[in-house]
Amino acid sequence: MNAEIITIGDEILLGQVVDTNSAWLGQLLDAQNIAVRQITSISDNREAITHALDEAAKRSDLIIVTGGLGPTKDDVTKETIASYFQTTLIRDEQVLSHVMSIFEKFGNGRPMPAMNYGQADVLACSEVLFNDVGTAPGMWVEHEGRCFAFLPGVPFEMKFLLEKRVLPKLSAFRANVNIYHAHVITMGIGESYLAELIADIEAELPSYIRLAYLPKLGTVRLRLSAVGVDAGGLKEETDSFAQRIATRTEPYLVAEKDVTIEEAIVEEFAKDGIRLAIAESCTGGLLAGSITAVSGASAMFDCGIVAYHNRIKQQLLGVDEEILKAFGAVSEQTVIQMAEGVKRVGGATYGIATSGIAGPTGGTPEKPVGTVWIAVAGPFETVTQLFHFRNDRQVNIERSIAQALNMLWKLYKKDKGK
Amino acid sequence: MNAEIITIGDEILLGQVVDTNSAWLGQLLDAQNIAVRQITSISDNREAITHALDEAAKRSDLIIVTGGLGPTKDDVTKETIASYFQTTLIRDEQVLSHVMSIFEKFGNGRPMPAMNYGQADVLACSEVLFNDVGTAPGMWVEHEGRCFAFLPGVPFEMKFLLEKRVLPKLSAFRANVNIYHAHVITMGIGESYLAELIADIEAELPSYIRLAYLPKLGTVRLRLSAVGVDAGGLKEETDSFAQRIATRTEPYLVAEKDVTIEEAIVEEFAKDGIRLAIAESCTGGLLAGSITAVSGASAMFDCGIVAYHNRIKQQLLGVDEEILKAFGAVSEQTVIQMAEGVKRVGGATYGIATSGIAGPTGGTPEKPVGTVWIAVAGPFETVTQLFHFRNDRQVNIERSIAQALNMLWKLYKKDKGK
């Protein structure tokens, strides 16, 4: 079974919203053995919507359309799709009373705006996908051998409808083809060297198992994708190739499953009873946030300190005033004291610290924008590294976080080997 | 001038990478008065690439293709586009020596993998877009009245090539049509009520000025988009409508330009000499991170404390042990002491604190997942609010951040009015 995703709305084309919906849908459909062939983002105008539906229906069995179902006037989706299916819009009484009840609950006594009545209008040819968590109903249409799901663009409403309404409907349409993925996550080796290192294994892959390299900020995720009829055989053969790759790449190995470096750290530290504390300057809370975004982080993380001002570095982390005066906040000496300080304050096994100039302002000739010192204080030693990123603020912060986690992982693996 | 974006690579279709490149491109092209008509994400296979290029060339003047230029074997892009333009690949000596110099610099003495020689192969019909910051060169092709830019998918390489290589080439192709946007940012009023509030103004808009509602987590961004020949007249007329909308929505107004609530807070606080400190439990550093991600945040932010463990809440924020014992960490009493504590420790004018159960685990019958207390301590009073989110961990954290910033903004506006 193949699928396509169509997102409707100028906000994605204008870049004012990042299309996280499609990424979420892609992951979910992949897990359901449904291959996404194309994602198309278009404006909410009649011609673009009609053409995108036409094209998608030529290629794919399942077409998921998100967005364009809001109550305001910039939405022409429903009328366009009604003519596409040569049907009409009818008011659904159950949806209407649901929409009204939401306004009663949250409207603070104000009457429901007239335009919201239109949210209860659905395609006459559709099955309503009842939206418990919002006012825009989803719609399911089967047409000339294709299935269409129309969903609101608000992420949690879309997710609710997909999981609770769409997935159950799909079971009936599943083909007999299985897709299986295996992953090997590596760190600290570039894509090209990795490809050379495992070239002979890759050359042995049969035509129905494909290897993809997915590099991102110091990690390379290797994904083996197998397609075939015999689910058990596919899994066994793919896992065996993944195992060979993992063994070959052992010095760089993070995990043999599809996890991020943050997830690997949280899982391993929690398992080993190891605790982490984080002191941040240039990463401003986002390094701690990358760890706490992982469910279960409280089992290995107690304390983060965002010491943006030097006074806070002294007061909360115990950095010496003399060190700050002599070497500055962005220095090896300061970042060592920050890492060791937060480790002590947090009562942790490992302390990480970042201090740098994220930009776009604040650089000097000696310490230009992108200069970042990172330290990791462990049970046996404190390691430091100086980085010279030369990107925009956001990328400098992201790279600092990635490198800090990489340094932590490396030191932890080394200590564990002791 | 119209544009389209095509992204090549399974990682976007599989949802393993969120397509932030297209959002960035959309914003940049919009600022250049170039309307993006469609974004298409496809797999790196010959048929999909050829079809997407065909379709895009039918509609748009400029086609920007990202991804599919890496050195590993899963990339068939270059060969496919060579046949699309009925041309061949030739090795570019300048690119080759650049690629080799990068490997000399970062390869730690290892020889360059053979496959990287292929990165210097470019379309014979193309102009090379020299990539100073990476190994994959961009390519510029003019073909049957259309312009094509092929760029690597690595975000900062793509951005470098777009800004330094593509934009200068575009100046020659600009049409005489102007696009102008004006924005009004509101907070604390739903999309529908807002639409009712300004219905008469919206009804007066001429056909060439369009109003879009862009709701996101408590804020609604109103965007007026005008298209026409007379740039000066368009700007004046659009700004005048924006001014009327801003005046009408004054109680909910955040800004009369396209900024986020975080940017508005950083700008206003820095201007007024007001300082902010942040204590976080459930938001785990990401609330501080949302502020420090804004350039210039150091002018109004000194100190953040991620007090995940109760011991840290006591030790660094001065929360009473008795309060924690009697009411728990997720309580009004605790969050008040956290906000007032971090305000005191940070020497700030305002302190924010969050404490809640982000999920998916940790809930109890009395305090289910999604229960979040937020406090803002200001110069005159401390305000608190209890929220019951019922979403996944990530959304609960995002909503907590949005509500905390909303509460801060509201209290700050009230205090300012005193």
Side-chain angles (χ1 to χ4, degrees), chain A residues 96-177:
Chain A
L96 181 61
S97 70
H98 169 66
V99 173
M100 291 179 79
S101 77
I102 287 182
F103 274 86
E104 267 167 38
K105 201 167 157 195
F106 297 108
N108 296 317
R110 289 174 288 191
M112 183 168 95
M115 70 183 68
N116 287 88
Y117 285 87
Q119 296 207 274
D121 294 346
V122 297
L123 300 181
C125 70
S126 75
E127 179 180 333
V128 172
L129 305 172
F130 196 80
N131 182 356
D132 294 24
V133 298
T135 53
M139 292 174 284
W140 175 267
V141 178
E142 292 173 20
H143 183 77
E144 295 178 356
R146 307 304 196 193
C147 303
F148 297 79
F150 296 92
L151 307 174
V154 179
F156 77 89
E157 297 185 27
M158 182 280 291
K159 291 176 187 176
F160 173 87
L161 287 173
L162 211 289
E163 286 177 338
K164 304 289 180 194
R165 306 279 177 258
V166 175
L167 284 187
K169 299 202 69 64
L170 285 180
S171 355
F173 293 91
R174 308 304 291 281
N176 195 28
V177 172

Side-chain angles (χ1 to χ4, degrees), chain A residues 17-25 27 39 216 221, chain B residues 7 10-24 41 153 155 394:
Chain A
V17 165
V18 175
D19 181 17
T20 54
N21 275 354
S22 295
W24 185 88
L25 281 167
Q27 286 192 17
I39 301 168
K216 194 181 178 186
R221 299 160 64 247
Chain B
T7 77
D10 280 348
E11 57 274 29
I12 288 175
L13 299 178
L14 283 162
Q16 300 193 307
V17 165
V18 174
D19 181 17
T20 54
N21 275 355
S22 295
W24 186 88
S41 295
Q394 193 197 332

Side-chain angles (χ1 to χ4, degrees), chain A residues 277-281 305 307 310-346 350-355 373-378 381-384:
Chain A
I278 298 174
E280 304 181 60
S281 188
I305 292 174
N310 281 352
R311 182 172 48 80
I312 304 300
K313 293 187 183 79
Q314 294 175 49
Q315 189 179 320
L316 297 185
L317 297 170
V319 176
D320 293 334
E321 196 179 349
E322 293 69 40
I323 291 280
L324 286 167
K325 270 193 191 148
F327 303 102
V330 181
S331 66
E332 183 171 29
Q333 292 82 355
T334 297
V335 86
I336 288 174
Q337 291 203 335
M338 288 173 70
E340 294 177 350
V342 83
K343 177 177 164 236
R344 186 178 59 242
V345 170
Y350 288 87
I352 315 181
T354 63
S355 186
W373 273 102
I374 301 177
V376 179
E381 64 187 310
T382 297
V383 296
T384 62

Side-chain angles (χ1 to χ4, degrees), chain A residues 95-415:
Chain A
V95 173
L96 181 61
S97 70
H98 169 66
V99 173
M100 291 179 79
S101 77
I102 287 182
F103 274 86
E104 267 167 38
K105 201 167 157 195
F106 297 108
N108 296 317
R110 289 174 288 191
M112 183 168 95
M115 70 183 68
N116 287 88
Y117 285 87
Q119 296 207 274
D121 294 346
V122 297
L123 300 181
C125 70
S126 75
E127 179 180 333
V128 172
L129 305 172
F130 196 80
N131 182 356
D132 294 24
V133 298
T135 53
M139 292 174 284
W140 175 267
V141 178
E142 292 173 20
H143 183 77
E144 295 178 356
R146 307 304 196 193
C147 303
F148 297 79
F150 296 92
L151 307 174
V154 179
F156 77 89
E157 297 185 27
M158 182 280 291
K159 291 176 187 176
F160 173 87
L161 287 173
L162 211 289
E163 286 177 338
K164 304 289 180 194
R165 306 279 177 258
V166 175
L167 284 187
K169 299 202 69 64
L170 285 180
S171 355
F173 293 91
R174 308 304 291 281
N176 195 28
V177 172
N178 290 290
I179 301 180
Y180 180 74
H181 296 293
H183 294 84
V184 177
I185 315 299
T186 67
M187 207 197 68
I189 178 171
E191 184 182 359
S192 316
Y193 293 110
L194 195 54
E196 284 211 327
L197 185 63
I198 60 173
D200 58 320
I201 305 176
E202 189 171 356
E204 282 179 45
L205 288 172
S207 63
Y208 51 89
I209 304 184
R210 192 164 170 241
L211 176 62
Y213 294 77
L214 308 169
K216 194 181 178 186
L217 290 173
T219 63
V220 179
R221 299 160 64 247
L222 297 170
R223 189 189 64 231
L224 290 160
S225 311
V227 183
V229 177
D230 169 21
L234 271 189
K235 179 178 181 329
E236 195 179 325
E237 193 177 2
T238 312
D239 283 343
S240 146
F241 275 106
Q243 184 54 55
R244 284 176 62 194
I245 292 172
T247 306
R248 180 75 60 82
T249 59
E250 208 285 321
Y252 312 101
L253 189 66
V254 173
E256 291 177 59
K257 58 184 176 181
D258 192 18
V259 293
T260 61
I261 179 85
E262 292 88 346
E263 288 166 339
I265 289 170
V266 168
E267 188 177 327
E268 289 285 312
F269 277 37
K271 208 177 63 191
D272 291 354
I274 284 171
R275 304 194 82 86
L276 174 68
I278 298 174
E280 304 181 60
S281 188
C282 64
T283 50
L286 293 169
L287 176 54
S290 76
I291 292 293
T292 59
V294 179
S295 173
S298 59
M300 49 67 74
F301 178 80
D302 297 335
C303 173
I305 292 174
V306 185
Y308 234 50
H309 198 284
N310 281 352
R311 182 172 48 80
I312 304 300
K313 293 187 183 79
Q314 294 175 49
Q315 189 179 320
L316 297 185
L317 297 170
V319 176
D320 293 334
E321 196 179 349
E322 293 69 40
I323 291 280
L324 286 167
K325 270 193 191 148
F327 303 102
V330 181
S331 66
E332 183 171 29
Q333 292 82 355
T334 297
V335 86
I336 288 174
Q337 291 203 335
M338 288 173 70
E340 294 177 350
V342 83
K343 177 177 164 236
R344 186 178 59 242
V345 170
T349 330
Y350 288 87
I352 315 181
T354 63
S355 186
I357 298 143
T361 57
T364 64
E366 300 82 48
K367 295 178 185 173
V369 165
T371 305
V372 177
W373 273 102
I374 301 177
V376 179
F380 307 107
E381 64 187 310
T382 297
V383 296
T384 62
Q385 206 169 332
L386 170 64
F387 298 92
H388 294 289
F389 306 123
R390 281 158 200 283
N391 305 297
D392 65 28
R393 185 177 183 85
Q394 195 197 329
V395 178
N396 286 339
I397 292 173
E398 277 171 16
R399 304 210 135 211
S400 300
I401 292 171
Q403 292 295 349
L405 297 175
N406 290 355
M407 285 171 63
L408 174 66
W409 183 259
K410 227 188 279 180
L411 185 61
Y412 161 75
K413 270 188 102 170
K414 184 180 162 197
D415 291 345

Side-chain angles (χ1 to χ4, degrees), chain A residues 10-20 22-24 26-27 30 36-44 47 51 55 59 70-75 103 106-108 110-116 154 156 159 181 183 189 191-193 195-196 199 202-203 210-214 216 221 223 225 252 258 275 283-286 288-290 292-298 301-309 311-312 315-316 345-347 359-361 391-395 397 399, chain B residues 10-20 22-24 26-27 30 36-44 47 51 55 59 70-75 103 106-107 110-116 119 154 156 159 181 183 189 191-193 195-196 199 202-203 210-214 216 221 223 225 252 258 275 283-286 288-290 292-298 301-309 311-312 315-316 345-347 359-361 391-395 397 399:
Chain A
D10 280 348
E11 57 274 28
I12 288 175
L13 299 179
L14 283 163
Q16 301 195 307
V17 165
V18 175
D19 181 17
T20 54
S22 295
W24 185 88
Q27 286 192 17
D30 179 45
V36 176
R37 300 189 62 146
Q38 182 164 323
I39 301 168
T40 311
S41 295
I42 49 169
S43 185
D44 49 358
E47 194 192 342
H51 185 70
E55 283 283 312
R59 284 181 296 250
T72 43
K73 295 178 190 171
D74 57 0
D75 296 329
F103 274 86
F106 297 108
N108 296 317
R110 289 174 288 191
M112 183 168 95
M115 70 183 68
N116 287 88
V154 179
F156 77 89
K159 291 176 187 176
H181 296 293
H183 294 84
I189 178 171
E191 184 182 359
S192 316
Y193 293 110
E196 284 211 327
E202 189 171 356
R210 192 164 170 241
L211 176 62
Y213 294 77
L214 308 169
K216 194 181 178 186
R221 299 160 64 247
R223 189 189 64 231
S225 311
Y252 312 101
D258 192 18
R275 304 194 82 86
T283 50
L286 293 169
S290 76
T292 59
V294 179
S295 173
S298 59
F301 178 80
D302 297 335
C303 173
I305 292 174
V306 185
Y308 234 50
H309 198 284
R311 182 172 48 80
I312 304 300
Q315 189 179 320
L316 297 185
V345 170
T361 57
N391 305 297
D392 65 28
R393 185 177 183 85
Q394 195 197 329
V395 178
I397 292 173
R399 304 210 135 211
Chain B
D10 280 348
E11 57 274 29
I12 288 175
L13 299 178
L14 283 162
Q16 300 193 307
V17 165
V18 174
D19 181 17
T20 54
S22 295
W24 186 88
Q27 285 191 17
D30 179 45
V36 176
R37 300 187 63 144
Q38 182 164 321
I39 302 168
T40 311
S41 295
I42 50 169
S43 183
D44 48 0
E47 193 191 343
H51 185 70
E55 282 283 312
R59 281 182 298 251
T72 43
K73 296 181 191 170
D74 57 0
D75 296 328
F103 273 86
F106 296 109
R110 290 174 289 192
M112 183 168 95
M115 71 182 68
N116 286 88
Q119 295 207 274
V154 179
F156 77 89
K159 290 176 188 176
H181 296 293
H183 294 84
I189 178 171
E191 185 182 358
S192 315
Y193 292 110
E196 283 211 329
E202 189 171 356
R210 194 165 168 237
L211 176 63
Y213 294 76
L214 308 169
K216 193 179 180 188
R221 298 162 63 247
R223 188 190 65 230
S225 311
Y252 312 102
D258 193 18
R275 304 195 82 86
T283 50
L286 293 169
S290 77
T292 58
V294 179
S295 172
S298 58
F301 178 79
D302 297 335
C303 172
I305 293 174
V306 186
Y308 235 50
H309 198 284
R311 182 172 48 79
I312 304 299
Q315 190 179 318
L316 297 185
V345 170
T361 57
N391 306 296
D392 64 29
R393 184 178 184 84
Q394 193 197 332
V395 178
I397 292 173
R399 303 209 138 213

Side-chain angles (χ1 to χ4, degrees), chain B residues 349-350 378-381 410-418:
Chain B
T349 329
Y350 288 88
F380 307 108
E381 64 188 308
K410 226 188 279 180
L411 185 61
Y412 161 74
K413 270 188 101 170
K414 184 181 161 196
D415 291 345
K416 211 179 165 177
K418 276 184 180 160

